[in-house]
Structure formats: C-alpha cells, structure tokens
Amino acid sequence: MRLELTLNGSPVDLDEDPTATLLDWLRSLGLTGTKEGCGIGVCGACTVLGDGRPISACLTLIGTLDGVSVLTVEGVAQSEPTLVEAFVDCEAMQCGICTPGHVMAAAAAKLAGIGASADVDSEIRYWLEGNLCRCTGYETIVAALRSYLER
Amino acid sequence: MSADRAVFVSPTSLSGALEEMASGQATVLAGGTSVALLIGQRLIEPSKLVHVARIPELRAVHFDASRSAVRLGAAVTLAEIARNVELVAALPSLAYAAGVVGNPRVRSVATVGGALAHGDPRQDLPPVLISLGTSVWLSGPGGERSIPAATLATGFMETCVAPDELITGVVIPLPPGQRAHYSRFTPQSVADYPTVGVAASVRCDSNGTITDAKVALAGVASTALTVDAAGLLAGVPAGDADIAARLSEVARQAAADAEPIDDRLGSASYKRAMIAVWTRRALLACVAG
C-alpha cells in the first residue's frame, strides 16, 4: 500500500505492509528512540504523536497514517530543546527506557494547552497516565513536565 | 506476517465503506487499537481492512433541536467524548467512562463504535450506553436499522452486526429527571480492565417517584449484563425511608444474575461480592445525586 505521511516535519512516501506497526517501521528507519516495551499499548514506551495527539506506535497500523503528521522523540529533540533540558535538569530518568515515551507524553500535554489550566498538577497526572516507569517513582518526571511548562 | 499483503482502504463516505464491505470478508477498524492487538497476537489475519475513521458522517456529535437526544457518530473518539463540555454536562457517566478507558493514547484514537463492535464484555462503554437506553444504528446493503445497545453483543466478542454491516452511530436519549453513574472497580491497577464495572441510571418524575431505572455491568458475564432494576424500583419514591433496602435488592439481583469467572482480576466469588457492593453504590449515587 502506498501512502504519504509527514515524519518529523518531512514528507515521506512509503510502500509498506499496511498491517505493519508504526513502531516496527520507525525502528527499521533507524529511529530507535521509540522503544518497544509491552507491545500491547499499556506501558507508553512507544508513545509518539499523530497529528498532535499521543498514540501507541505499537498499536498503530501503518495503513491508518495516510496524510497524518507523525512526531517522534527524535523530532521533538530538535523542535523542543527546552523539553529535553527540563528532563535533564530534573533528573527525570534512571534506566531510560521509558524516557522517550514520557517526553512524548509531555509534548502532547503541552500541545493540549494544559499550561493554561486552573489545575495544572491534575492535568500533568492525567497526561502521564499510562506511561510506566519502574525507576524514578514519577515525582521527578512530574517535576520535569511542570518545569517544561514554565520554561 | 503473511506473504500477501492485506488490502487496506480508507473510504471517505459511508456508501464507499459499505461498497468495500460488500464481500462480507472485510475487517473494520477505526482507531485500530483492538484490531492491531488481535493482529499482533495472531488471533486474526485479515485479508482486507476497511478504515472508517475518516468518514465525516461517522465523526459528528449532534444534539437534536429539542435536546431530547444526542447522536454520536461511531468514529467519535473516547477523548472527544471525555473532553466535550456539552457531553460532560448532558451525559456525565458516559464522559467519565470514556475518560477512564485505557490511557490517553488509547483514548486519542479508540471510538465509541469500536467499543461496541469489539464485543469484549470487559469494555467500559457498552454497559454505560445500555444504562442510558441507547440505540445503536447500523447500515448495510439493505439500508439502515437500529437496535437497543443491550441486544448488540450476543456472546464473548460476538455481536449481531452482519459481516457487510457497519455501526454508524449511537442515539442516546436525554430524558428529564434522569441521573446516571458509572463505577469502575480495579483493585490492582487502574490500567486493568475493571474487575467489576457498574453503570446505573435512575429517572424520577417531578414528584421524586422513580419511573425508570437501568443497571448494566462490565466484566461479569460473556456480554455486558443487563439487570432488571426498573422492575424492583419503579413506583418507589427516591426519598423513601427504605430506599437503601430497595437498592440492595437490585444489588443482590445483579450478583445473582452474573456469571463471573475466576481470573487475574479476581475469583468468581470475590467478583460476585463486589458486584453487590458496587451496584448498590452506583444506584445510591443516582438516587442521592
């Protein structure tokens, strides 16, 4: 199946099996920032943005992406340096496998406009729900997102 | 992965989708979260996929002129339901349920039609829709039909939707004097399917007498379980001194009607006990407001 999408701001034409997952395709391109964790949409390690909304790359069939703008952690590292800096400054990672997913969840939260919310702390937890971390206890990740919104 | 690639089409009209489905061999997907899981787990190997998330007729939320009902297109996402201010006000139990399914990534793309078509009795939305008296609209080669949401699922992951038929939307009545509530009980992780999910609605007339009540449960039988709450509550004043005892009767009925199984989410006997507890609480939330 031929389709066109935008990947990290650049147009891409591809001819792939439409039932392949976005996760496998990204990693085959060398974009290995997007991690495979659970493979069933639960852990959040493969979070990317599709048209600005968070999606699990492991549950996204390539065929559904015709015309969609996909943003990965590699793209965000370029376009949102303050997001990466906030995670580094808050030491919001340890082993690191969940970190790209958390960064992408944070990017989605900012795009959704939660910085203007009356209850930012609740919104932060809402948007990080379903991104699992076994190391940090989450407090530093919450702090990183709060810091990013303030930068 | 099969050697032959599946055919994948994204029609942009309802008639186009029905044409693509005419062979009866197509697998329909919208957000694709469930279909991708089934493919990934090798439970299905579809030869043709029809992606219906781009069809404008399936994407609309429409209140009728008198605001006596709302129609949700089948491809309206859970995030759109949970964050729609009008829906939050008109249908709080549905908006709440849509906002607790899975996680933000699932809710971004998963749809109301998908929740119904999947036929998984652990899904949160079907019992809520049943408790709200929802009709499900289907289109096929022979035209349109509507059925009560309670009759859509016929067994575990089985529905009465014909292979060449598409769920196009749901119509939810908005009767005056109705209060509804959804309780989702997950003793381990909120990311789990509910051990027990209870959707309830109670409708009172202007004197505060109960005229209708509906209860439906997730996770306790091979389909969403509907309980005859109206039979036990209709005609009773909501402020009656022994209303709590009446609600407990419905809760006992729900526990008796359920067919829970032992699994990771709890033993059958534990689930039965929790059905009674959470059914009573859901009804109490409706009556107490």
Side-chain angles (χ1 to χ4, degrees), chain B residues 20-135:
Chain B
E20 296 286 0
M21 294 168 63
S23 68
Q25 303 294 312
T27 299
V28 175
L29 79 161
T33 51
S34 296
V35 169
L37 265 183
L38 294 173
I39 292 173
Q41 294 172 345
R42 307 282 194 274
L43 291 172
I44 60 171
E45 197 175 336
S47 55
K48 180 172 188 178
L49 291 143
V50 180
H51 181 221
V52 298
R54 306 279 176 81
I55 301 174
E57 297 108 295
L58 269 53
R59 297 274 309 125
V61 174
H62 178 73
F63 285 82
D64 69 5
S66 58
R67 293 184 83 83
S68 61
V70 60
R71 185 182 196 287
L72 306 179
V76 173
T77 67
L78 305 189
E80 287 165 345
I81 294 170
R83 299 225 149 204
N84 180 311
V85 175
E86 281 187 297
L87 289 176
V88 170
L91 294 168
S93 69
L94 180 70
Y96 167 77
V100 294
V101 172
N103 54 54
R105 305 181 302 281
V106 169
R107 300 192 286 266
S108 287
V109 292
T111 63
V112 61
L116 289 166
H118 194 41
D120 187 325
R122 300 168 299 182
Q123 299 259 3
D124 299 279
L125 254 56
V128 177
L129 293 168
I130 291 168
S131 76
L132 296 170
T134 302
S135 342

Side-chain angles (χ1 to χ4, degrees), chain B:
Chain B
M1 193 63 64
S2 75
D4 296 322
R5 286 184 183 180
V7 175
F8 192 106
V9 291
S10 291
T12 53
S13 69
L14 177 56
S15 57
L18 293 176
E19 259 172 55
E20 296 286 0
M21 294 168 63
S23 68
Q25 303 294 312
T27 299
V28 175
L29 79 161
T33 51
S34 296
V35 169
L37 265 183
L38 294 173
I39 292 173
Q41 294 172 345
R42 307 282 194 274
L43 291 172
I44 60 171
E45 197 175 336
S47 55
K48 180 172 188 178
L49 291 143
V50 180
H51 181 221
V52 298
R54 306 279 176 81
I55 301 174
E57 297 108 295
L58 269 53
R59 297 274 309 125
V61 174
H62 178 73
F63 285 82
D64 69 5
S66 58
R67 293 184 83 83
S68 61
V70 60
R71 185 182 196 287
L72 306 179
V76 173
T77 67
L78 305 189
E80 287 165 345
I81 294 170
R83 299 225 149 204
N84 180 311
V85 175
E86 281 187 297
L87 289 176
V88 170
L91 294 168
S93 69
L94 180 70
Y96 167 77
V100 294
V101 172
N103 54 54
R105 305 181 302 281
V106 169
R107 300 192 286 266
S108 287
V109 292
T111 63
V112 61
L116 289 166
H118 194 41
D120 187 325
R122 300 168 299 182
Q123 299 259 3
D124 299 279
L125 254 56
V128 177
L129 293 168
I130 291 168
S131 76
L132 296 170
T134 302
S135 342
V136 180
W137 283 82
L138 303 136
S139 280
E144 267 195 310
R145 66 180 176 125
S146 86
I147 59 169
T151 63
L152 186 87
T154 54
F156 181 76
M157 296 180 84
E158 290 178 352
T159 69
C160 67
V161 182
D164 57 359
E165 232 180 359
L166 181 66
I167 297 176
T168 53
V170 295
V171 174
I172 308 169
L174 302 169
Q178 176 179 278
R179 306 191 87 114
H181 186 81
Y182 181 60
S183 289
R184 186 180 202 276
F185 177 53
T186 53
Q188 294 169 45
S189 163
V190 292
D192 282 335
Y193 284 110
T195 290
V196 176
V198 185
S201 75
V202 173
R203 188 178 173 193
C204 294
D205 64 16
S206 53
N207 299 318
T209 301
I210 296 172
T211 56
D212 193 13
K214 295 188 177 71
V215 170
L217 292 92
V220 301
S222 59
T223 64
L225 176 74
T226 305
V227 181
D228 179 22
L232 292 164
L233 294 177
V236 177
D240 205 78
D242 69 347
I243 188 71
R246 296 280 192 149
L247 301 186
S248 293
E249 266 181 63
V250 181
R252 273 195 296 278
Q253 188 65 52
D257 290 351
E259 296 172 328
I261 56 169
D262 295 324
D263 65 14
R264 192 177 60 77
L265 300 173
S267 67
S269 63
Y270 176 66
K271 287 181 188 175
R272 216 179 276 282
M274 291 302 102
I275 289 164
V277 169
W278 290 93
T279 299
R280 189 175 170 283
R281 287 184 188 172
L283 281 166
L284 200 57
C286 296
V287 172

Side-chain angles (χ1 to χ4, degrees), chain A residues 1 15-19 40-44 47 53-56 59 61 63-66 68 123 126-127 129-131, chain B residues 1 5-6 8 10 29-30 32-33 35-37 39 41 49 51 54 77 82-83 99 102-109:
Chain A
M1 178 193 184
D15 184 11
E16 289 283 329
D17 180 345
T19 64
I40 54 170
V42 170
C43 77
T47 306
R53 301 176 304 175
I55 55 175
S56 292
L59 290 188
L61 301 183
T64 63
L65 292 172
D66 196 22
V68 172
E123 288 283 348
Y126 180 91
W127 285 91
E129 182 195 339
N131 282 83
Chain B
M1 193 63 64
R5 286 184 183 180
F8 192 106
S10 291
L29 79 161
T33 51
V35 169
L37 265 183
I39 292 173
Q41 294 172 345
L49 291 143
H51 181 221
R54 306 279 176 81
T77 67
R83 299 225 149 204
N103 54 54
R105 305 181 302 281
V106 169
R107 300 192 286 266
S108 287
V109 292

Side-chain angles (χ1 to χ4, degrees), chain A residues 73 76 80-94 96 98-109 124 128 131 133 136 138-149 151:
Chain A
V73 71
V76 160
E80 290 290 306
T82 57
L83 172 51
V84 178
E85 286 160 20
F87 269 70
V88 172
D89 292 348
C90 295
E91 300 182 17
M93 74 284 295
Q94 185 178 317
C98 75
T99 308
H102 274 103
V103 167
M104 297 313 294
I124 286 174
L128 293 180
N131 282 83
C133 173
T136 63
Y138 300 102
E139 285 303 322
T140 55
I141 298 170
V142 170
L145 178 44
R146 194 181 294 118
S147 167
Y148 167 50
L149 294 171
R151 286 177 196 226

